[in-house]
Amino acid sequence: MTTPKTTETETAAMPNFDAGANGLLPAIAQDAQSGRVLMMAWMNAEAFEETLQTGQATYYSRSRGKLWRKGETSGHRQRVREVRIDCDADAILLKVDQVGAACHEGFASCFFRVVDSDGGVREVEKRLVDPAEVYGDASRKS
Amino acid sequence: MTTPKTTETETAAMPNFDAGANGLLPAIAQDAQSGRVLMMAWMNAEAFEETLQTGQATYYSRSRGKLWRKGETSGHRQRVREVRIDCDADAILLKVDQVGAACHEGFASCFFRVVDSDGGVREVEKRLVDPAEVYGDASRKS
């Protein structure tokens, strides 16, 4: 028997968390139905494993220094339909069914602002929910 | 006159490159027509400015330590239709018209692999182009 050749694709199979600063890799959440990009957050190996195991998007909160089970406070969970990794295995794409608003500011997507070519910034969407009603006085994400 | 109240949205208007490690923020490229997520790369302030000014996606290559004008070698440029920033102004979303293949491995999107719930990885797409024909012997991105 011959030893199978190892290709770049095979060697870079799993997310390579060692490649990220502090073991964190960027994770993009995209609405599985509309294709809309909802948010960008961070995952460590533990968050990734939990996401695979539970089917619910789990990130790592850099500000809180712990796992962030999306929607735990707000109820705005993300059911994961598909997980992808990129060619270099250092970025993650989740296709999700989003409950409620992905953004902690109450917008469907965190990307609710357009930057024009002159650097001007415009809000181009309306809030779905009032963050104060979802989070109370706390403005933290969940 | 009263001083206008400063809202969170107003203060976090431009990308906050100081928030990123080494002044870099993640930038997601999404196909403007199909909504497909094509790739995730990094931008510094200079790359962002050049992207706004030229309308062509320009990133910062961490491996090469310099600006990466997407498609300069391969011809696989990204014409930028819209630039968005997220709620925290620490992630960037580009909606682009992609020429050729976004991925340096010859796939339309860098996210051509699915990770199953058991951690197994599957390629789910076919190459559009042969990287060797685009880049010669060099496997570097452009």
Side-chain angles (χ1 to χ4, degrees):
Chain A
M1 288 174 60
T2 57
T3 304
K5 283 184 185 172
T6 302
T7 66
E8 184 182 351
T9 300
E10 284 166 351
T11 56
M14 286 301 295
N16 180 14
F17 288 101
D18 292 338
N22 301 314
L24 300 175
L25 293 179
I28 303 157
Q30 179 180 32
D31 188 285
Q33 301 305 315
S34 69
R36 183 174 208 175
V37 174
L38 299 173
M39 55 181 280
M40 204 294 301
W42 300 87
M43 282 189 176
N44 61 5
E46 189 183 359
F48 185 76
E49 279 302 319
E50 186 169 311
T51 297
L52 288 185
Q53 287 171 16
T54 65
Q56 298 284 340
T58 300
Y59 304 100
Y60 181 84
S61 168
R62 295 183 302 174
S63 59
R64 285 179 271 157
K66 63 177 187 176
L67 288 190
W68 166 26
R69 295 177 179 92
K70 173 73 180 159
E72 201 170 38
T73 301
S74 63
H76 294 173
R77 295 180 183 276
Q78 295 174 337
R79 174 78 190 162
V80 178
R81 312 304 297 188
E82 190 176 86
V83 178
R84 293 194 177 207
I85 54 172
D86 76 347
C87 45
D88 295 327
D90 60 5
I92 298 157
L93 174 64
L94 305 180
K95 298 190 182 184
V96 305
D97 293 335
Q98 174 72 55
V99 176
C103 181
H104 73 298
E105 290 195 28
F107 294 88
S109 162
C110 294
F111 293 95
F112 57 85
R113 292 182 296 178
V114 165
V115 184
D116 292 316
S117 57
D118 64 359
V121 177
R122 294 178 287 126
E123 279 192 24
V124 293
E125 304 192 9
K126 294 193 184 305
R127 278 190 171 80
L128 285 185
V129 298
D130 179 352
E133 289 185 6
V134 177
Y135 301 100
D137 290 332
S139 63
R140 69 192 181 86
K141 294 181 182 180
S142 83
Chain B
M1 288 172 59
T2 56
T3 304
K5 283 185 185 171
T6 302
T7 67
E8 183 182 354
T9 300
E10 285 164 353
T11 56
M14 285 300 297
N16 180 15
F17 289 101
D18 292 340
N22 301 313
L24 300 175
L25 293 180
I28 304 158
Q30 180 180 33
D31 188 285
Q33 302 304 316
S34 69
R36 184 175 207 175
V37 174
L38 299 173
M39 55 182 279
M40 204 294 301
W42 300 87
M43 281 189 176
N44 61 5
E46 188 182 0
F48 185 76
E49 279 303 320
E50 185 168 312
T51 297
L52 287 186
Q53 286 171 17
T54 64
Q56 298 284 340
T58 300
Y59 304 100
Y60 181 84
S61 168
R62 296 183 301 175
S63 58
R64 284 180 272 158
K66 63 177 187 177
L67 288 189
W68 166 27
R69 296 176 180 92
K70 173 73 180 163
E72 203 169 37
T73 302
S74 64
H76 294 172
R77 296 180 183 277
Q78 294 174 336
R79 174 77 191 163
V80 177
R81 312 304 296 189
E82 190 176 85
V83 177
R84 294 194 176 206
I85 54 172
D86 76 347
C87 45
D88 295 327
D90 61 4
I92 297 157
L93 174 64
L94 306 179
K95 298 191 182 183
V96 305
D97 292 335
Q98 174 73 54
V99 177
C103 181
H104 73 297
E105 291 196 26
F107 293 87
S109 162
C110 293
F111 294 95
F112 56 85
R113 292 182 296 178
V114 165
V115 183
D116 292 317
S117 57
D118 63 358
V121 177
R122 293 177 288 126
E123 279 192 24
V124 292
E125 304 191 11
K126 294 193 184 305
R127 278 190 172 80
L128 286 185
V129 297
D130 179 351
E133 289 185 8
V134 176
Y135 302 99
D137 290 330
S139 63
R140 69 191 181 88
K141 294 180 183 179
S142 85

